[in-house]
């Protein structure tokens, strides 16, 4: 069973940067799609970004495109989310997710495809 542990969250001012990490255990190969979602209080869980092993493709939500970068280190079973130019609207708990499914630009945002989830790390952006 895949277990995911996120780290790197914290408090940052508007315009600042943070780098989140998600380390997996129980992974038997590099053939996974990894994703980041976020959830603010009282709101639904929202797709942020995904990286899939097939063609090494990456997908982003429109709200973070150009500011966030997802990357992966297969040797370390770790996926990263570099977040730059942060805005108060980015405040949320950020969760890492994984699936063996190959996702497309459309299906990457469907949280039902992901069967492994971390506990999340809090990101707070002050204005």
């Amino acid at each position: 069973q895949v277990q995911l542990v996120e780290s790197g969250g914290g408090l940052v001012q508007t315009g600042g940067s943070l780098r989140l990490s998600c380390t997996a255990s129980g992974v038997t190969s590099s053939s996974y799609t990894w994703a980041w979602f976020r959830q603010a209080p009282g709101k639904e869980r929202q797709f942020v970004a995904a990286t899939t092993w097939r063609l090494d493709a990456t997908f982003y939500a429109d709200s973070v495109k150009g500011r966030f970068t997802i990357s992966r280190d297969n040797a370390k079973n770790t996926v990263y989310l570099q977040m730059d130019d942060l805005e108060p609207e980015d405040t949320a708990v950020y969760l890492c997710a994984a699936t063996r499914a190959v996702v497309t630009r459309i299906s990457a945002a469907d949280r039902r495809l992901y069967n492994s989830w971390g506990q999340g790390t809090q990101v707070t952006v002050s204005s």
Side-chain angles (χ1 to χ4, degrees):
Q1 183 177 356
V2 176
Q3 293 185 323
L4 306 175
V5 178
E6 303 95 334
S7 62
L11 174 64
V12 65
Q13 292 185 333
T14 296
S17 298
L18 282 174
R19 189 195 195 202
L20 306 183
S21 299
C22 172
T23 300
S25 59
V27 173
T28 58
S29 76
S30 61
S31 302
Y32 281 86
T33 291
W34 305 94
W36 289 95
F37 287 76
R38 65 187 182 186
Q39 190 163 17
K43 295 188 176 181
E44 288 193 356
R45 192 165 294 184
Q46 178 186 48
F47 170 75
V48 176
T51 176
T52 184
W53 57 271
R54 176 171 285 187
L55 302 179
D56 205 21
T58 57
F59 309 108
Y60 296 93
D62 288 342
S63 59
V64 307
K65 202 171 293 183
R67 300 188 297 122
F68 291 10
T69 303
I70 189 170
S71 60
R72 61 196 293 166
D73 185 334
N74 291 329
K76 296 182 178 180
N77 288 331
T78 299
V79 62
Y80 305 97
L81 185 68
Q82 177 66 42
M83 305 186 295
D84 298 319
D85 194 20
L86 282 161
E87 305 167 351
E89 293 73 22
D90 296 317
T91 295
V93 174
Y94 282 71
L95 303 107
C96 180
T99 177
R100 293 296 298 268
V102 177
V103 303
T104 65
R105 186 174 301 279
I106 302 300
S107 66
D110 186 350
R111 57 182 182 265
R112 297 172 298 177
L113 293 181
Y114 298 89
N115 47 25
S116 298
W117 292 85
Q119 294 298 309
T121 184
Q122 176 70 46
V123 171
T124 303
V125 184
S126 63
S127 56

